[in-house]
Amino acid sequence: MQSKWSFALLFLVGLALVSASGFPAKAEEKLPVVATFSILGDLTQKIGGNAISLTTLVGPNEDAHAFDPTADAQRAVAGAKVLVVNGLGFEPWLDRLVDAAAFRGKLVEATSGITPLAWTGEEEGHDHEAEGEAHEGEEHVHDAVDPHAFQDPKLVLTYIENIAAGLEEAAPSHAAEFRKNADTLKQEFRALDAELTATLGKLPAAQKRILTSHDAFQYFGHAYGIEFIGVQGVSTEAEPSAQDLKHIVEQIQSGKIKAVFIENMNDPRFIETLAADTGIKVGGDLYSDALSAEDGPASDLLSLFRHNQKELIKALQ
């Protein structure tokens, strides 16, 4: 009899514990997060890990400058708790999308705290002010600054910090996980920067002037002493003027530009025609604003840098 009552008592205690924990047990929902393009998506996923459910609006090999938000994109943003954006005018469609989606979550601008390089559109490769020169009190318009700060691994550390802080604020119960992932990622980019400095720094200065499809590599060039000249401006939607093209051809013919590269997200025909007409060497593909597909050579930002490093060394040595 005693064992019978003991069993009944244990059953009631167990039932009470199950009820207190909310039977049936419900798995914790992942934090819904949207990143605007593939490079931000990569960083956000690596920081957020299994605690987030990520939607990336502009995928691999796609042009974020020319993106036209869809109804699916609007629904994703409307349902997100965190929206990770580049800022600095990189996403010219962003304000329209945020308004249409009535987004009320946490907006994380990954470039917050970065002083951007200026883009003036002048000749000789477009003058860019050195990083760190102030623009205090000045509003940066889309075509006045270079938004491609993710092309400098040292500045990617700021991207990582901003994304981690935004996720921590939105999901404080996972803050330790986000912080651990962010610290690991920072270490990888610090090691990458040291590697790029050691290898690209050995290239002869006279050879480090190259032509690309659009003006996406000024931060990379500023970091490692390479001069990049873009046929288009900072946006792939810009069209080069006849004077710009004449100036570029003159530099190629004079030997000032050592190689021309095609970007993964741009139509290669113009660059190929320019190379055929001038005889300049065409390097491999460079990855600028978008990652490759998963089976490609630049499926995350770390491999993007290493792929570009290999192609640049091969063409410029």
Side-chain angles (χ1 to χ4, degrees):
M1 189 70 160
Q2 184 177 3
S3 62
K4 184 177 179 181
W5 280 107
S6 297
F7 176 80
L9 180 60
L10 288 172
F11 176 78
L12 290 172
V13 170
L15 185 62
L17 290 174
V18 170
S19 298
S21 65
F23 182 81
K26 197 174 182 180
E28 184 179 1
E29 291 186 2
K30 294 185 177 184
L31 181 70
V33 180
V34 170
T36 51
F37 66 108
S38 58
I39 289 172
L40 287 187
D42 170 54
L43 296 176
T44 302
Q45 186 63 70
K46 286 179 175 171
I47 297 167
N50 292 327
I52 69 170
S53 175
L54 178 69
T55 299
T56 302
L57 299 182
V58 185
N61 294 315
E62 294 181 359
D63 186 355
H65 294 302
F67 178 65
D68 187 13
T70 62
D72 286 343
Q74 184 175 324
R75 280 191 290 271
V77 171
K81 297 296 184 184
V82 179
L83 174 59
V84 182
V85 309
N86 186 81
L88 301 180
F90 184 84
E91 305 100 335
W93 39 265
L94 180 63
D95 290 345
R96 175 165 47 96
L97 176 58
V98 167
D99 289 344
F103 176 69
R104 295 292 181 268
K106 171 70 177 176
L107 180 67
V108 177
E109 190 167 295
T111 56
S112 179
I114 291 175
T115 301
L117 298 177
W119 182 78
T120 62
E122 295 177 2
E123 292 186 342
E124 292 297 328
H126 312 309
D127 289 340
H128 290 260
E129 294 183 13
E131 177 189 347
E133 289 185 0
H135 297 276
E136 294 179 7
E138 177 182 344
E139 182 180 353
H140 302 296
V141 295
H142 167 57
D143 61 353
V145 299
D146 187 335
H148 303 86
F150 50 82
Q151 283 290 344
D152 182 344
K154 292 183 291 296
L155 297 182
V156 171
L157 301 180
T158 300
Y159 277 67
I160 294 169
E161 184 59 35
N162 287 332
I163 294 169
L167 295 179
E168 289 170 14
E169 182 179 332
S173 62
H174 292 282
E177 177 184 351
F178 298 148
R179 182 53 46 188
K180 179 181 177 182
N181 293 343
D183 289 344
T184 299
L185 199 54
K186 284 181 179 180
Q187 289 175 3
E188 292 179 298
F189 276 95
R190 290 189 183 103
L192 172 70
D193 176 55
E195 177 186 333
L196 293 173
T197 300
T199 55
L200 296 175
K202 294 178 181 178
L203 296 174
Q207 294 181 212
K208 295 196 289 187
R209 187 172 195 174
I210 64 175
L211 183 71
T212 56
S213 302
H214 90 291
D215 215 356
F217 294 98
Q218 298 304 323
Y219 288 90
F220 187 89
H222 183 264
Y224 304 112
I226 300 173
E227 184 175 359
F228 289 86
I229 298 172
V231 175
Q232 294 170 290
V234 294
S235 169
T236 54
E237 295 184 293
E239 291 293 336
S241 67
Q243 184 179 5
D244 288 337
L245 294 177
K246 179 176 179 291
H247 184 66
I248 287 169
V249 170
E250 288 172 350
Q251 290 189 78
I252 293 173
Q253 291 172 338
S254 68
K256 291 181 179 179
I257 295 175
K258 299 301 180 182
V260 57
F261 286 86
I262 297 168
E263 295 172 42
N264 65 312
M265 51 177 227
N266 292 109
D267 187 332
R269 289 174 294 182
F270 177 80
I271 291 293
E272 289 170 347
T273 300
L274 183 65
D277 289 345
T278 60
I280 193 170
K281 176 170 61 175
V282 178
D285 288 350
L286 292 184
Y287 286 81
S288 55
D289 296 3
L291 302 178
S292 70
E294 286 189 16
D295 59 352
S299 58
D300 65 10
L301 187 52
L302 287 163
S303 60
L304 179 152
F305 277 112
R306 291 196 172 98
H307 170 83
N308 288 350
Q309 171 195 27
K310 179 184 69 175
E311 296 299 322
L312 288 167
I313 291 173
K314 185 167 60 177
L316 298 179
Q317 276 182 331

